[in-house]
Amino acid sequence: MNEVLDKPLAYAPITLSKTDGKRNTSIGNLMADIVLLAADSVSHLQNGPTVDMALLNHGGIRAVISQGPVSARTAYEVMPFENTIALVRLRGREIREMVRFLVDANRAHPIAGIRIRLDADGRLESVHVGEEPLDENREYWVATSNYLVSGGDNMRFFGDALEIRDTGYRIRNAMIDYFTTADTLRATVDDRFTQQLP
């Protein structure tokens, strides 16, 4: 078992941490990107909708990914929970609530597929889903964890979901599958959630 857990699957050129950025972090960005990619792939295999974005919680990331070889054990250390990927259909106004939650949060909750801009005073300046401005009159599919769908981490906006589909695909397993195909983990603090300098 240890041999299987410790077999190198990929390589991290730098240590990925959840404390290396204010509004987004390297490991958070990697996790959200993995969940968005996995959720969209599973949804398409099941003839489901295209997934627009992903949201995870900062507290759910329990370890760094250290520079060097990355293994299945790495995934168990980062994500020790049995959380599965859930697909949630939300109206644009609930996405707006989600954005307000993220702006007010004191931690960098991982996001992917959505870009948030704040002005120098911390006020919301713009929100884009993919390349398009957020439209409160349309519906979006969000990939998240079954824990957050149930209101974990005070993410109560999921309570107004139009539809919820639990894929049964564990986030940890999605990480291991990604490591198996990625070769090198490329993740940095980027521009998905930024605030203008004063």
Side-chain angles (χ1 to χ4, degrees):
M1 179 62 78
N2 284 334
E3 188 176 332
V4 172
L5 284 173
D6 292 327
K7 179 184 177 182
L9 302 176
Y11 178 79
I14 60 171
T15 294
L16 306 180
S17 163
K18 69 175 186 178
T19 60
D20 56 7
K22 182 179 180 184
R23 293 288 183 177
N24 68 90
T25 68
S26 58
I27 195 170
N29 292 347
L30 177 68
M31 294 283 292
D33 288 345
I34 288 172
V35 167
L36 179 56
L37 181 67
D40 199 49
S41 295
V42 169
S43 184
H44 283 168
L45 284 171
Q46 298 172 349
N47 295 314
T50 296
V51 182
D52 298 291
M53 68 189 82
L55 169 66
L56 299 173
N57 61 316
H58 182 271
I61 300 172
R62 292 306 177 99
V64 301
I65 295 178
S66 298
Q67 180 183 17
V70 176
S71 65
R73 188 183 299 278
T74 307
Y76 275 85
E77 290 169 349
V78 172
M79 178 57 63
F81 312 106
E82 299 299 310
N83 294 344
T84 55
I85 298 173
L87 305 180
V88 186
R89 183 161 59 99
L90 294 176
R91 288 169 290 242
R93 62 175 179 264
E94 276 83 52
I95 301 297
R96 182 72 68 180
E97 281 184 45
M98 182 184 95
V99 170
R100 276 196 289 268
F101 173 87
L102 294 171
V103 170
D104 294 340
N106 221 6
R107 33 182 41 189
H109 294 296
I111 57 173
I114 184 169
R115 196 168 71 251
I116 303 169
R117 298 276 182 273
L118 306 181
D119 66 18
D121 295 318
R123 292 186 296 262
L124 185 62
E125 192 171 84
S126 66
V127 181
H128 284 75
V129 179
E131 298 303 317
E132 299 296 324
L134 174 65
D135 182 352
E136 294 194 13
N137 295 314
R138 63 159 285 194
E139 296 170 0
Y140 296 92
W141 283 93
V142 182
T144 187
S145 75
N146 61 334
Y147 167 71
L148 297 181
V149 167
S150 64
D153 237 338
N154 295 313
M155 296 192 185
R156 297 188 182 92
F157 43 84
F158 284 124
D160 294 320
L162 298 171
E163 184 179 351
I164 298 170
R165 302 181 184 182
D166 194 325
T167 66
Y169 190 13
R170 288 189 178 91
I171 294 173
R172 182 175 57 238
N173 291 350
M175 293 173 65
I176 293 170
D177 290 343
Y178 180 83
F179 295 163
T180 302
T181 60
D183 184 57
T184 303
L185 304 186
R186 306 284 184 191
T188 60
V189 177
D190 61 24
D191 65 350
R192 66 189 69 193
F193 193 168
T194 57
Q195 181 173 348
Q196 287 185 21
L197 294 174

